Amino acid sequence: MSNSQSPDSSVPVKQKKKRNKTLHSSGLPIPIPMSTLLHSYTPPSVSLRLRPRRSRYLRPLRFQFGRMGNSMVRAQAATEVTEAATSEGLKKGIAEFYDESSGVWESVWGDHMHHGFYEPDTAASLSDHRPAQIRMIEEALSFAGVSDDPMKKPKTIVDVGCGIGGSSRYLAKKYGAQCRGITLSPIQAQRAQELAAAEGLADKVSFQVADALQQPFPDGEFDLVWSMESGEHMPDKMKFVSELARVAAPGATIIIVTWCHRDLSPSEDSLKPDEIALLNKICDAYYLPAWCSASDYVNIAKSLSLENIKTADWSDNVAPFWPAVIRSAFTWQGFTSLLRSGWKTIRGALVMPLMIEGYKKNLIKFAVITCTKPN
Amino acid sequence: MRLLTHNMLSCNIKGVTNGFPLKLEADKWVTKEVDLNADFLRGIFPKIEWSALLAAARVLGFAELPEQADASMLSSDDFLRRFHHALLELHVEEGALVCPETGRKFPINKGIPNMLLHEDEV
């Protein structure tokens, strides 16, 4: 599968309904060439179709705690086969996406591949973002009640979906702890290791290529189990959280910060069709298997007998992030890096306005979910 | 990959009950000096599976660890130095980790173990 595809003038280009060429619905000004790209470009072939779109939301990611119709359960059984057949494809897609795009991200944004945490309704300037990304880590730790006390602070940490190791290095430094990071991307693992060595942390952090759904660690290994914006990639949320719980030591804290869709109301069986359509477009570009809600995570944690389960909606605190990422893509450095990177990265960039749309519609939520492993 | 990491990795192939410790095969390894931190060593000692560390160190040609170890040895500078060297200063760059039950090899490339399972191992 090739990583980069360029527009071929002999391939008919789908003309989508033209909206305002110079102003995207998100309100951001877009240079005309890019807007044309957004509205009328279709790649010659889709590089990775993960599964038939219809089936994605037939699979219920709400779990049977209380009300759920029999029809949902039947639909789930029908789509199990499709999912199993493409989980390898998903992992490969994720690995390739990050192999290709991590360098671009790092050159523009640095070593934290997650949202910044901002005061609501503030405009953020370029220099605000790195501190905001640090603040995101600190807010998550604070929300979970992780102690700084030398006797109680975590000594061993696992960073699940570690990217190029930003969180791992930060947490290892903060607590003087040993940190193990896992990622599907060999290039990320390598880069994470290089950065650790450069910061003198090679004896504190190490990185492995591994699957979050099959963590290569024995039970009960870690005092702090950390998943910062990796939950979106997990095709099986139950397995994902089960593994987090398995590798957590008795009394350990588990912290999940992730994109979710809004909670469904009691009268709803699923998201509305236009909501599903929007999420599908985002899923394809970012190699996300399917979305669930923060309530789903809470229910899973309860089913695993995890304790002190807490969740919060931080959507208002991350609102400045995507506009900032889009602006950075239009800087000279951002744009040229994108062009050099490859089709997967470019497609990811093109889909960014959809993230803003999703947040504005209160469809996409940025959630923190924390809990502890029983003693 | 340091031996401290090796001491925390296990094979998670479906159905495997005894996936730890992974047997170490090393084609290329180096020594990287690290400052000794006695407090750290004393803190991590209870979490270390000693026989796994012993065996892995021997694969790398370091035979100076005692067969058995207990916490009382942590007051000896000599013991701390050997423990420190084995745990933190030996780095496997190329090699493999072998599942004790199935014989499946997980490669180590450029110091990074790849623990991804195949479809049929899940």
Side-chain angles (χ1 to χ4, degrees):
Chain A
M1 183 189 350
S2 85
N3 277 353
S4 59
Q5 296 165 2
S6 49
D8 181 348
S9 57
S10 65
V11 174
V13 166
K14 257 195 226 156
Q15 291 293 320
K16 295 198 184 147
K17 193 165 78 134
K18 290 258 163 77
R19 288 178 273 170
N20 185 328
K21 264 196 199 177
T22 54
L23 201 66
H24 188 268
S25 57
S26 61
L28 290 176
I30 303 174
I32 288 178
M34 192 58 125
S35 71
T36 309
L37 204 61
L38 278 169
H39 293 303
S40 63
Y41 176 69
T42 308
S45 62
V46 177
S47 59
L48 189 70
R49 179 71 61 191
L50 293 175
R51 65 174 67 92
R53 278 183 174 165
R54 266 178 49 82
S55 70
R56 195 194 308 277
Y57 286 95
L58 288 177
R59 177 184 170 82
L61 286 176
R62 299 168 63 228
F63 295 83
Q64 277 184 316
F65 302 102
R67 49 171 302 283
M68 190 144 91
N70 283 332
S71 60
M72 295 289 262
V73 178
R74 269 205 307 279
Q76 181 174 359
T79 57
E80 290 286 14
V81 171
T82 324
E83 301 235 338
T86 57
S87 72
E88 280 298 295
L90 172 66
K91 281 194 283 196
K92 188 160 175 286
I94 292 170
E96 287 175 357
F97 176 71
Y98 284 109
D99 277 352
E100 188 191 285
S101 62
S102 287
V104 178
W105 182 269
E106 190 190 344
S107 66
V108 179
W109 278 81
D111 67 336
H112 290 293
M113 299 176 74
H114 60 250
H115 286 59
F117 188 102
Y118 310 85
E119 289 301 314
D121 299 321
T122 51
S125 72
L126 205 53
S127 58
D128 296 328
H129 298 299
R130 171 114 190 155
Q133 289 178 310
I134 303 289
R135 185 171 169 191
M136 176 62 73
I137 299 177
E138 290 291 346
E139 292 283 346
L141 293 169
S142 167
F143 184 78
V146 177
S147 173
D148 278 343
D149 182 290
M151 295 305 293
K152 297 192 209 152
K153 65 181 181 177
K155 299 191 178 44
T156 52
I157 302 171
V158 63
D159 183 356
V160 179
C162 61
I164 52 176
S167 288
S168 296
R169 287 184 296 276
Y170 184 87
L171 294 170
K173 258 193 304 231
K174 180 180 171 76
Y175 295 116
Q178 285 289 316
C179 189
R180 300 285 167 271
I182 57 174
T183 170
L184 289 174
S185 160
I187 290 191
Q188 282 189 332
Q190 203 65 56
R191 184 65 186 141
Q193 202 72 66
E194 277 166 20
L195 290 168
E199 287 181 39
L201 289 168
D203 59 328
K204 287 214 153 45
V205 303
S206 74
F207 300 95
Q208 282 69 233
V209 175
D211 185 349
L213 299 189
Q214 280 97 32
Q215 291 193 36
F217 307 113
D219 300 356
E221 192 70 35
F222 301 102
D223 304 325
L224 175 60
V225 178
W226 178 265
S227 167
M228 171 61 73
E229 293 194 49
S230 59
E232 309 85 64
H233 287 296
M234 309 301 166
D236 183 339
K237 309 300 187 199
M238 173 61 87
K239 188 84 211 290
F240 165 54
V241 183
S242 298
E243 278 292 277
L244 298 179
R246 180 182 72 77
V247 302
T253 301
I254 298 168
I255 298 179
I256 302 169
V257 178
T258 185
W259 314 348
C260 295
H261 67 61
R262 63 173 177 81
D263 287 348
L264 298 181
S265 72
S267 57
E268 285 181 306
D269 265 342
S270 71
L271 296 172
K272 306 203 208 54
D274 62 307
E275 291 177 318
I276 292 174
L278 179 59
L279 292 184
N280 272 336
K281 287 189 211 157
I282 297 170
C283 283
D284 279 352
Y286 291 139
Y287 297 92
L288 311 180
W291 298 65
C292 68
S293 68
S295 297
D296 289 328
Y297 275 111
V298 167
N299 288 333
I300 293 174
K302 283 184 189 157
S303 77
L304 295 169
S305 304
L306 295 166
E307 297 172 345
N308 301 309
I309 303 167
K310 291 192 287 188
T311 181
D313 179 353
W314 284 353
S315 307
D316 288 341
N317 298 103
V318 302
F321 181 75
W322 286 101
V325 178
I326 290 177
R327 278 196 296 276
S328 74
F330 290 120
T331 60
W332 182 246
Q333 183 194 12
F335 196 65
T336 53
S337 305
L338 266 181
L339 289 180
R340 275 197 300 268
S341 59
W343 166 240
K344 285 185 174 59
T345 313
I346 293 172
R347 185 173 61 168
L350 291 176
V351 152
M352 293 191 293
L354 298 181
M355 288 297 296
I356 296 179
E357 199 179 322
Y359 275 114
K360 282 198 165 167
K361 290 181 167 165
N362 287 313
L363 167 61
I364 296 179
K365 297 283 176 185
F366 193 85
V368 59
I369 304 112
T370 66
C371 53
T372 55
K373 179 97 174 259
N375 266 305
Chain B
M1 184 203 70
R2 291 168 295 144
L3 298 190
L4 173 56
T5 299
H6 166 257
N7 214 265
M8 294 166 98
L9 289 173
S10 81
C11 172
N12 44 7
I13 292 175
K14 189 170 165 181
V16 165
T17 46
N18 187 27
F20 180 89
L22 294 154
K23 193 164 150 303
L24 178 62
E25 287 178 3
D27 302 321
K28 180 169 170 241
W29 65 98
V30 297
T31 301
K32 292 186 191 174
E33 270 190 41
V34 175
D35 287 342
L36 192 151
N37 181 335
D39 286 334
F40 169 73
L41 293 170
R42 290 183 183 122
I44 204 87
F45 179 79
K47 296 191 76 128
I48 297 296
E49 219 10 84
W50 189 259
S51 53
L53 179 64
L54 186 70
R58 285 214 173 123
V59 169
L60 304 184
F62 185 68
E64 271 108 291
L65 290 177
E67 289 284 329
Q68 317 263 21
D70 62 73
S72 65
M73 297 178 174
L74 293 166
S75 51
S76 152
D77 279 347
D78 183 62
F79 172 78
L80 284 180
R81 260 194 304 275
R82 297 172 195 221
F83 181 34
H84 167 79
H85 181 72
L87 200 65
L88 295 174
E89 292 190 321
L90 296 171
H91 285 261
V92 180
E93 298 277 322
E94 307 288 329
L97 296 169
V98 186
C99 174
E101 203 173 297
T102 63
R104 153 80 142 101
K105 294 195 187 193
F106 297 95
I108 304 170
N109 295 121
K110 298 191 206 159
I112 293 178
N114 187 324
M115 307 299 295
L116 289 176
L117 300 181
H118 303 137
E119 192 72 48
D120 56 345
E121 293 171 326
V122 167

